[in-house]
Amino acid sequence: MTGERTPRQDDGERRFLDAYDPGAYAPAAVTVDVAALTIRAGVPHVLLMRRTARPQLGWWALPGGFVRAQDGPDGPADPDLPDAALRVLSQKTPLPTELHLEQLGTYGALDRDPRMRVISVAYVLLAPDLPDPDTDADRAAWIPWSVLGHGIGDSRDRGGHGGGDDDRGGRAEIELAFDHARIVADAVERARSKLEYTALATAFLPPEFTITALREVYEAVWGRPLHGANFHRKILATPGFVEDTGRLADRGGSGGGRRARLYRPGGAAFLHPPLLRGAQSAPA
Amino acid sequence: MTGERTPRQDDGERRFLDAYDPGAYAPAAVTVDVAALTIRAGVPHVLLMRRTARPQLGWWALPGGFVRAQDGPDGPADPDLPDAALRVLSQKTPLPTELHLEQLGTYGALDRDPRMRVISVAYVLLAPDLPDPDTDADRAAWIPWSVLGHGIGDSRDRGGHGGGDDDRGGRAEIELAFDHARIVADAVERARSKLEYTALATAFLPPEFTITALREVYEAVWGRPLHGANFHRKILATPGFVEDTGRLADRGGSGGGRRARLYRPGGAAFLHPPLLRGAQSAPA
DNA sequence: CCAAAAGTGTTCAATGTACACCCATGA
DNA sequence: TCATGGGTGTACATTGAACACTTTTGG
């Protein structure tokens, strides 16, 4: 508000900048990688692509690409890093109109890419159930977290009291290129913890949804059943989490049952109090 | 555990890498900036340096520098980004033996540096009270958060219920170079929220400390007095936060008073349950 | 003895959890 | 009218905030 991004320039400053040579530094390549997360039929998925170039040709990897530092033949410079993330992602799959994008972290170990020094800024995208990518399924696909191994599909929380044994029998089957397994693991942990204290669960849902659908998001991401009745009350007791539309969902499920109210996201970003995943078991 | 970082290379892969030209991409410069936070006499400070080069010569800025992507005349390549952060910081000020360093985020807006496209990976360092930097005080200094303005020194929490009016009269006096004011604000918010659910407060303290010293860390970072008696009990009730040394502090303060027990950090990283800054007022 | 700081006991309110129950709808 | 899922009432345990009080030390 007070000119934070527009430092004043005196004359010496201007002369310096005119003479500056941007090519003088030995640089690293900068990329963005996006861990796009969604939930399909109650199962959490991440968008992966098969590499079509060396190195690690044919391996599964996160969608990503180089940041456009300056205007060039490929197109204009990316104004900021989130723009780069959305650009590389939209080149590979259709994007939803509503989405949540946040920076996850930057990965820059010397040996993480065999070609050269690559610094990769990773983003997490949370989106409602999306159609399959345009490209044929062999090149890009939504993959369940549970087949990625390395602890990604596990639902252990940091306290370690949970003793649930409800994981599917599927062992790790897919190994990812570069350090992308770690990035996905970090993205999943980010999503799990953000559901505790923010209203982000609605980012996985269409614009209008039922409380049960919201609960199923929590259950899918945390990998654990929640107590429906108490969840319902807790959501409605959290100011600004959801807002009643006054309408009802079309059907109450496959069989019978009362029709559920439809809600839309409320204005709140943070939840007071948070919903904690250290508690609440399923009813018998 | 299963060779995550050591992808196997077939013959084609090896031929490709031999022929690869790392200079082919139009690159950005990558830097690290460190927001080093500490508490001196109950007041939280951040380490700042006066810029000695164009652009923005003479402005206060975070210590930082370019990542060494490859081995070169200046020295060997940085093995990973945290190494780069510690390197650039140790070049400018002595480092403590015990410290906590974590990545804050990456800032890459097109116009954040007038010279060229600079992608900056920011780190937060939490450290016990450190001596003044070696360089003369005009070049590097510990600056209180409260004089940085732009909301950095404010103790508003995200809920916004707090109405404390205990801020010092000092208005914003220092304006930072580039987008460093935003980075410091993000660092301060990171520290404030991490104290809620991790045991990181001990990173601001020497290896052995009293519960009162720990409470003063919280009070300094959150900018709000806490209820001493309840705080004491809550800390001891949180498993793994602190560990009793069995010894007592030298003096119970300047005047009289019982001597306090000395504790050291416990093994726990996360707090169950968290300490929340939405509550607890001071006694009359 | 008095003041000051550390640490404990206890009460009361707020919250979280479990379980019973009623409501609305389809077959 | 029965099964199914949505939604509410309520009792009980757990937690947290406030305040009174005891313990230990220096002057």
Side-chain angles (χ1 to χ4, degrees), chain A residues 3 5 9 40 124 146 210 232 277:
Chain A
R5 295 293 194 94
Q9 295 179 6
R40 316 188 99 189
V124 183
S146 55
T210 65
H232 192 103
R277 50 170 163 164

Side-chain angles (χ1 to χ4, degrees), chain A residues 2 4 7-8 13 16 22 25 27 54-56 66 68-69 78-80 103 105-106 108-110 116-117 150 175, chain B residues 2 4 7-8 13 16 22 25 27 54-56 66 69 78-80 103 105-106 108-110 116-117 150 175 182:
Chain A
T2 52
E4 182 179 338
R8 350 173 175 101
E13 197 88 320
F16 166 84
Y25 286 96
R54 305 244 176 222
Q56 303 191 14
F66 289 91
R68 282 192 194 139
D78 297 308
D80 203 344
Q103 195 181 106
T106 298
L110 181 53
M116 61 185 298
R117 189 63 179 260
H150 294 303
E175 207 171 349
Chain B
T2 54
E4 182 177 337
R8 353 174 171 98
E13 197 89 317
F16 165 83
Y25 287 94
R54 306 253 177 211
Q56 301 190 16
F66 289 92
D78 296 309
D80 204 344
Q103 196 181 103
T106 299
L110 181 53
M116 62 185 297
R117 188 63 178 262
H150 293 303
E175 206 170 351
R182 154 161 288 276

Side-chain angles (χ1 to χ4, degrees), chain B residues 146-170:
Chain B
S146 56
V147 302
L148 295 177
H150 293 303
I152 297 171
D154 299 4
S155 47
R156 314 203 165 283
D157 65 348
R158 53 213 190 201
H161 354 262
D165 53 350
D166 60 320
D167 60 317
R168 301 157 195 81

Side-chain angles (χ1 to χ4, degrees), chain A residues 4-238:
Chain A
E4 182 179 338
R5 295 293 194 94
T6 56
R8 350 173 175 101
Q9 295 179 6
D10 59 25
D11 269 351
E13 197 88 320
R14 203 172 302 115
R15 274 195 300 275
F16 166 84
L17 289 172
D18 289 346
Y20 191 83
D21 171 18
Y25 286 96
V30 181
T31 65
V32 285
D33 289 314
V34 182
L37 307 181
T38 195
I39 296 168
R40 316 188 99 189
V43 178
H45 288 68
V46 58
L47 183 67
L48 295 177
M49 322 227 7
R50 275 197 188 275
R51 286 189 54 79
T52 58
R54 305 244 176 222
Q56 303 191 14
L57 176 68
W59 291 45
W60 288 102
L62 293 172
F66 289 91
V67 172
R68 282 192 194 139
Q70 294 97 21
D71 296 336
D74 296 333
D78 297 308
D80 203 344
L81 296 171
D83 304 290
L86 291 177
R87 176 179 57 76
V88 301
L89 194 61
S90 67
Q91 286 168 355
K92 309 194 175 184
T93 191
L95 289 183
T97 53
E98 292 293 319
L99 54 79
H100 170 82
L101 184 76
E102 71 178 64
Q103 195 181 106
L104 177 63
T106 298
Y107 300 78
L110 181 53
D111 60 352
R112 64 181 295 277
D113 188 310
R115 287 169 290 184
M116 61 185 298
R117 189 63 179 260
V118 178
I119 310 277
S120 180
V121 185
Y123 278 80
V124 183
L125 180 125
L126 307 185
D129 193 357
L130 293 174
D132 277 306
D134 284 341
T135 52
D136 53 308
D138 205 49
R139 288 200 44 208
W142 291 100
I143 307 288
W145 298 353
S146 55
V147 302
L148 295 177
H150 294 303
I152 297 171
D154 300 4
S155 46
R156 314 205 166 283
D157 64 348
R158 54 211 191 203
H161 355 264
D165 53 351
D166 59 320
D167 60 317
R168 300 157 197 80
R171 304 282 302 141
E173 291 166 12
I174 293 184
E175 207 171 349
L176 300 186
F178 308 123
D179 54 358
H180 289 191
R182 154 160 288 276
I183 296 175
V184 172
D186 290 348
V188 166
E189 178 51 34
R190 173 73 64 92
R192 286 190 175 136
S193 68
K194 276 233 154 180
L195 289 205
E196 288 192 306
Y197 60 94
T198 72
L200 271 185
T202 58
F204 284 116
L205 294 171
E208 301 197 339
F209 51 85
T210 65
I211 300 290
T212 298
L214 185 64
R215 176 166 50 81
E216 286 165 348
V217 168
Y218 276 89
E219 292 176 333
V221 173
W222 287 351
R224 183 152 58 79
L226 298 177
H227 187 132
N230 287 337
F231 181 87
H232 192 103
R233 219 177 341 219
K234 212 158 172 179
I235 297 305
L236 297 184
T238 301

Side-chain angles (χ1 to χ4, degrees), chain B residues 123-176:
Chain B
Y123 278 80
V124 183
L125 180 123
L126 308 185
D129 193 356
L130 294 174
D132 276 307
D134 282 340
T135 52
D136 53 309
D138 206 49
R139 288 198 46 206
W142 291 100
I143 306 288
W145 297 353
S146 56
V147 302
L148 295 177
H150 293 303
I152 297 171
D154 299 4
S155 47
R156 314 203 165 283
D157 65 348
R158 53 213 190 201
H161 354 262
D165 53 350
D166 60 320
D167 60 317
R168 301 157 195 81
R171 303 282 303 142
E173 291 166 12
I174 293 185
E175 206 170 351
L176 300 186

